[in-house]
């Protein structure tokens, strides 16, 4: 990126994320620091359309996520820790935990990975 090739930088980070996901690794990305976040966030040009879902396969969310709950779930997709999310949003760790609990309930999930998967399926990410 410093050499002026942002597209190549994004491709390399995408490949690293894919490999890390395949190997079940989160820590290297979480500890990479704030420089990597812009590369992890989807851009309109790179955003994939939501895949069509079979009718009846996914129950709708219990209720819509609030804006802050969506912010928290987006940061989950970036493999950020609860502490990192709190610092990024300028809120306490307990506030983040409350938003996570509410988002899990609304998405009918019990884990971070399920929340991210479900939010993607619903087109929230």
């Amino acid at each position: 990126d410093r050499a002026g090739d942002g597209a190549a930088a994004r491709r390399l980070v995408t490949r690293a994320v894919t490999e890390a996901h395949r190997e079940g690794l989160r820590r290297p990305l979480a500890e990479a620091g704030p420089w990597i976040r812009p590369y992890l966030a989807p851009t309109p040009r790179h955003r994939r359309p939501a895949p069509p879902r079979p009718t009846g396969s996914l129950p709708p969310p219990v209720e819509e996520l609030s804006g802050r709950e969506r912010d928290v779930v987006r940061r989950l997709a970036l493999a950020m820790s609860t502490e990192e999310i709190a610092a990024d949003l300028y809120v306490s760790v307990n506030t983040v935990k409350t938003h996570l609990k509410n988002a899990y309930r609304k998405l009918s999930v019990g884990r971070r990975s399920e929340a991210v998967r479900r939010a993607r399926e619903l087109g929230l990410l």
Side-chain angles (χ1 to χ4, degrees):
D1 188 50
R2 287 186 199 139
D5 194 353
R10 183 173 284 281
R11 276 194 313 274
L12 291 171
V13 170
T14 300
R15 190 165 62 186
V17 169
T18 302
E19 290 299 317
H21 180 71
R22 187 175 297 138
E23 296 295 322
L25 302 173
R26 287 186 36 206
R27 179 169 269 157
L29 297 173
E31 292 178 353
W35 67 268
I36 198 169
R37 290 191 186 114
Y39 296 103
L40 297 175
T43 60
R45 193 180 80 196
H46 292 96
R47 187 172 286 168
R48 291 184 211 146
R53 2 177 215 142
T55 56
S57 68
L58 292 175
V62 174
E63 61 184 275
E64 291 295 317
L65 296 180
S66 71
R68 212 47 158 175
E69 290 162 354
R70 249 183 236 200
D71 290 341
V72 169
V73 172
R74 283 186 189 116
R75 283 160 178 79
L76 283 182
L78 299 176
M80 293 175 72
S81 70
T82 305
E83 292 79 13
E84 289 173 321
I85 295 170
D88 200 41
L89 295 176
Y90 301 103
V91 297
S92 74
V93 171
N94 285 334
T95 300
V96 171
K97 288 179 180 180
T98 299
H99 289 312
L100 284 173
K101 183 179 75 168
N102 291 335
Y104 291 174
R105 178 183 54 80
K106 290 176 181 181
L107 295 171
S108 303
V109 298
R111 293 183 171 154
R112 288 172 165 249
S113 59
E114 293 171 351
V116 171
R117 180 186 48 76
R118 180 88 161 107
R120 282 193 177 119
E121 289 171 349
L122 293 170
L124 301 175
L125 295 179

